[in-house]
Amino acid sequence: MKHARLLVMTDDLPQASLALAQTESFHPDPRPPEAQALSEAPGRGYRELYQQARSRLDKIARLVELEGPPDLPTLRVVDHAELAATNQELATRWEEASRFEEGFRRIDDAERFIRDQAAALANFADLKIDLGTLRNKTRFLDFYVGIVPRENVSRLEGAVRLADHLLFNYLQRGDSAHVIIVGPRGEQEAQLQSVLASAAFQALPIPQGLDEDADPAHQRERLAQRQAELEQQRQTLTETLADWRHTHQDALLEAQRTLLLAEPFVTLDPSIRSTGHLAVLAGWVPARAVVALQQRLQDSLSLPFQLDCRDPRPDERPLVPSVPVRARLLQPFALLVKQYGIPQYGEVDPTPLFALTFLFMFGSMFGDLGQGAVIALLAWAFRRRLGRFWLFGILAGLSSMLFGLLYGSLFGYEEILPALWKSPIHHPILMLKLALGYGVLFLVTACLLAIYNRLAVKNVAGALFGHHGAINLLFYLALVWGGLNLARGDDFGAAPLALVLATLGALAGYAWRQLQAPVGEKVLVVFIETLETIIGYISNTLSFLRVAAFSLNHAALSIAVLTLANMMGTTGHVITVILGNVFVLVLEGGIVMIQVMRLQYYEGFSRYFSGDGHEFTPLRLRRGVRLTTHGT
């Protein structure tokens, strides 16, 4: 990556921004220039016009639909006058379109009111009385309409009778009863309120805005008529809007083209500084793209310019963007890596290693030729819905198929295909040994990457003594050496023991020197960190036993399904095998996916991947977004 500094004449800035956007290789650097004389920020009026016009077009986009994104047959500079004219055109169009938006809003509000009224009326459907009487209490009578739990009805009926009121249970739904309480107005109202509260009485709101002399059935009929009228109004308004769109579609498409061409200069604006007729802008450019960028500027700019490129300084490393993986097969894995973070500039991009180890672990834990083929076929069938992840499903299925051939497993059957290697269920000890060996190799690789990444940023102390640095790696290798001796029936060994003690002593001494605390606290912290190092590497290695455990679990679960199927008749056997394989695919497939991600993120990325970088997002001509019609 190179840091590029471009000096141009201020009049040539719009053309320069368009040329940079065409190359798609210039990532703007918004830091202020080192030269204090270049302190002015040009293009403020241009940016304000663009933002106003873009806001108006976005508002129109809520209502109308254009016939696809506009093409850009020719690239040209949009000057201030053209942008102002476009802004004025959009202002006129938005003034017209806003009337449609207001019309749709009024219809939406009216329909919402009708829905609320219909929901309220449902509570009074079985009450044969006009609602106006219930809402407007008389001079001598009180009405209470509400819901109480069914078990409280009898108790409430007796309590309200003592207050000279009557209770009518007019509807029961589930555990609730709809009741109406009628009685004389007077001094006992306060007493009645406490009785209602103790019985968990919940008042039902009586709909407002209805005819005073109509019962609920008549009210529902009138609401249905009003709903039909609103639907007709909406249809008429939609047709009028379609005619308006057809009339102004060309003008709106042209406005969108203008804004797309003006966008690069506006996007670049925070990175531009100028004084008088001279402007400077800076950014990051991939080293391989510098020559093409220089050539594009020479072909596009009519006035003199100067492009200077240099390597990033050490203090700039956290600011340098990282170029994402471009390989199509790695794209879905890059998205999963991105969920953890983006590699810093200079760090090893973990995507290729992540893809390789992910597929290896998934296939070894879920090895079955038939089930892997189902995964691949489903990913292909739903490729449009899965987007870029359909490739991920294809590769995961192929990995499962490969290990299914090695294991000799086809939909759980192990006697149909001859195993090209060995079946996990028949060689469990071998699988456990291989899983431990794979775990050691994985952790050693992660430590080596951590050392490289720290050396790349000149952090020598961290590469030697930091977590998962060189001293940690020596300790781990010595621990593995001694562990292999014990596995063969020998003692731990003097040489590995000496190396373990020496590396632990070096780590403890480094931690002691780094701590600024009382002696007692330093002793406690160093002891805990040393113990954590020992336990951590042992537990991390044993964590990879799950690779073997799930391969055994997959085979055992398949055996259980087939055993159950063999207890059925012919039809039951087929149905049980099908349902059992679906169960294995959904349940165990999901669990295996989670376990693989856990091993990748926790055992791998946490060792060597900082994930605090930022992605290379070059200036580019953004193609238009499809605008949607109101209500779609």
Side-chain angles (χ1 to χ4, degrees):
M1 192 68 71
K2 298 287 186 180
H3 186 270
R5 181 173 178 267
L6 178 61
L7 285 170
V8 295
M9 305 304 291
T10 305
D11 292 342
D12 246 0
L13 273 176
Q15 182 63 55
S17 64
L18 198 59
L20 294 175
Q22 284 180 272
T23 64
E24 297 189 357
S25 61
F26 187 86
H27 180 102
D29 181 1
R31 291 179 298 168
E34 298 174 358
Q36 295 300 318
L38 297 169
S39 58
E40 299 177 11
R44 178 175 300 173
Y46 191 93
R47 181 176 69 252
E48 291 174 353
L49 273 177
Y50 171 86
Q51 291 172 347
Q52 194 175 42
R54 169 56 64 184
S55 174
R56 286 166 172 164
L57 184 62
D58 290 341
K59 290 176 182 177
I60 295 173
R62 295 198 297 263
L63 291 170
V64 301
E65 181 181 10
L66 301 182
E67 295 180 354
D71 55 347
L72 298 174
T74 57
L75 299 180
R76 55 183 174 78
V77 173
V78 175
D79 57 24
H80 191 281
E82 182 181 357
L83 188 58
T86 299
N87 184 40
Q88 186 57 46
E89 171 71 16
L90 289 173
T92 305
R93 299 287 79 81
W94 168 239
E95 185 178 356
E96 299 169 357
S98 62
R99 298 169 190 162
F100 295 103
E101 185 180 51
E102 183 60 31
F104 283 119
R105 184 182 294 114
R106 285 196 299 268
I107 294 174
D108 290 340
D109 292 341
E111 289 181 336
R112 190 179 303 109
F113 176 78
I114 289 176
R115 287 194 299 269
D116 293 342
Q117 294 292 75
L121 280 172
N123 293 316
F124 301 92
D126 296 331
L127 193 58
K128 304 302 182 181
I129 188 174
D130 71 89
L131 301 180
T133 303
L134 292 179
R135 185 169 56 248
N136 302 320
K137 296 183 179 181
T138 68
R139 181 178 179 182
F140 303 105
L141 290 178
D142 270 343
F143 298 94
Y144 301 90
V145 183
I147 303 174
V148 293
R150 293 181 64 174
E151 63 269 17
N152 294 347
V153 172
S154 298
R155 179 165 56 88
L156 179 61
E157 185 175 11
V160 300
R161 187 177 295 116
L162 295 176
D164 297 328
H165 281 63
L166 297 177
L167 182 146
F168 299 95
N169 185 350
Y170 69 89
L171 176 65
Q172 290 189 353
R173 287 180 181 171
D175 295 332
S176 299
H178 290 60
V179 300
I180 180 170
I181 300 170
V182 185
R185 303 188 68 174
E187 298 179 354
Q188 297 185 351
E189 288 185 38
Q191 177 186 352
L192 185 62
Q193 291 293 340
S194 62
V195 170
L196 295 177
S198 64
F201 176 86
Q202 182 180 356
L204 287 173
I206 301 174
Q208 300 288 332
L210 299 174
D211 295 335
E212 300 292 338
D213 58 348
D215 62 25
H218 292 154
Q219 298 285 16
R220 286 197 299 272
E221 290 179 6
R222 290 170 182 171
L223 288 178
Q225 292 174 0
R226 178 59 180 154
Q227 178 66 40
E229 293 173 2
L230 290 174
E231 290 176 358
Q232 181 59 44
Q233 292 178 18
R234 182 183 293 277
Q235 179 65 26
T236 302
L237 192 59
T238 301
E239 292 173 357
T240 307
L241 176 61
D243 294 338
W244 181 89
R245 183 207 61 174
H246 180 74
T247 302
H248 301 290
Q249 180 168 280
D250 292 341
L252 292 174
L253 280 173
E254 187 58 35
Q256 195 176 14
R257 289 191 189 97
T258 301
L259 293 181
L260 290 175
L261 291 169
E263 187 178 30
F265 181 44
V266 176
T267 304
L268 202 58
D269 184 66
S271 304
I272 302 173
R273 295 295 184 274
S274 71
T275 178
H277 297 288
L278 184 64
V280 62
L281 54 137
W284 305 99
V285 181
R288 64 179 181 275
V290 171
V291 175
L293 178 62
Q294 177 86 24
Q295 186 61 48
R296 170 63 65 181
L297 291 171
Q298 287 178 355
D299 296 341
S300 303
L301 301 184
S302 57
L303 299 175
F305 71 93
Q306 180 179 340
L307 178 65
D308 298 321
C309 295
R310 59 171 175 80
D311 293 329
R313 298 192 303 266
D315 62 294
E316 292 178 319
R317 187 172 291 274
L319 304 175
V320 183
S322 299
V323 179
V325 171
R326 300 295 185 188
R328 186 183 181 191
L329 288 178
L330 295 179
Q331 284 297 308
F333 299 98
L335 291 175
L336 292 175
V337 172
K338 194 175 180 179
Q339 300 307 308
Y340 189 91
I342 296 173
Q344 259 193 16
Y345 176 69
E347 279 190 337
V348 174
D349 189 334
T351 304
L353 178 63
F354 174 83
L356 181 64
T357 54
F358 187 101
L359 292 175
F360 174 81
M361 285 191 285
F362 180 83
S364 61
M365 295 163 75
F366 199 78
D368 188 283
L369 179 62
Q371 294 167 0
V374 171
I375 294 174
L377 289 174
L378 286 175
W380 172 260
F382 294 98
R383 59 189 181 279
R384 292 185 178 178
R385 292 188 179 182
L386 292 174
R388 284 181 288 181
F389 267 100
W390 73 273
L391 268 175
F392 176 83
I394 294 286
L395 293 174
L398 291 177
S399 175
S400 179
M401 292 174 65
L402 173 62
F403 278 89
L405 289 172
L406 295 175
Y407 297 161
S409 177
L410 177 66
F411 289 115
Y413 292 96
E414 296 197 355
E415 62 278 357
I416 298 178
L417 292 176
L420 297 182
W421 182 53
K422 296 182 184 297
S423 170
I425 199 67
H426 298 118
H427 302 85
I429 303 301
L430 175 63
M431 300 303 295
L432 292 172
K433 290 180 179 178
L434 291 175
L436 280 177
Y438 170 76
V440 171
L441 178 62
F442 186 94
L443 295 177
V444 169
T445 303
C447 289
L448 290 173
L449 289 174
I451 295 169
Y452 173 84
N453 287 337
R454 289 166 188 166
L455 289 176
V457 297
K458 312 300 181 186
N459 183 9
V460 179
L464 288 175
F465 297 100
H467 289 296
H468 317 301
I471 304 300
N472 276 266
L473 179 57
L474 285 176
F475 160 76
Y476 181 57
L477 291 175
L479 198 64
V480 172
W481 183 7
L484 288 174
N485 290 337
L486 292 175
R488 288 195 295 265
D490 301 330
D491 56 8
F492 193 84
L497 180 60
L499 192 54
V500 165
L501 295 176
T503 51
L504 286 177
L507 293 172
Y510 179 76
W512 183 278
R513 292 183 59 186
Q514 296 299 310
L515 283 174
Q516 301 295 328
V519 174
E521 183 179 340
K522 292 173 75 170
V523 171
L524 181 62
V525 171
V526 169
F527 173 76
I528 292 176
E529 288 187 353
T530 304
L531 183 62
E532 182 184 10
T533 300
I534 299 172
I535 296 175
Y537 275 103
I538 294 175
S539 64
N540 295 154
T541 305
L542 295 177
S543 182
F544 282 88
L545 287 175
R546 71 189 66 208
V547 176
F550 275 96
S551 66
L552 294 170
N553 177 69
H554 183 263
L557 193 59
S558 298
I559 290 176
V561 170
L562 295 178
T563 302
L564 185 63
N566 291 333
M567 299 169 62
M568 308 288 183
T570 304
T571 304
H573 182 96
V574 173
I575 294 175
T576 303
V577 169
I578 293 175
L579 293 179
N581 275 274
V582 171
F583 175 79
V584 171
L585 276 168
V586 175
L587 180 65
E588 192 186 1
I591 294 175
V592 166
M593 187 75 66
I594 293 171
Q595 293 301 323
V596 175
M597 293 298 297
R598 187 260 177 204
L599 289 172
Q600 291 284 358
Y601 283 171
Y602 182 71
E603 309 295 353
F605 287 176
S606 64
R607 279 174 161 75
Y608 66 88
F609 182 34
S610 65
D612 56 0
H614 55 280
E615 190 174 358
F616 179 71
T617 51
L619 188 70
R620 54 165 51 98
L621 284 168
R622 183 173 60 89
R623 302 300 173 182
V625 231
R626 188 172 180 81
L627 306 181
T628 57
T629 302
H630 181 88
T632 61

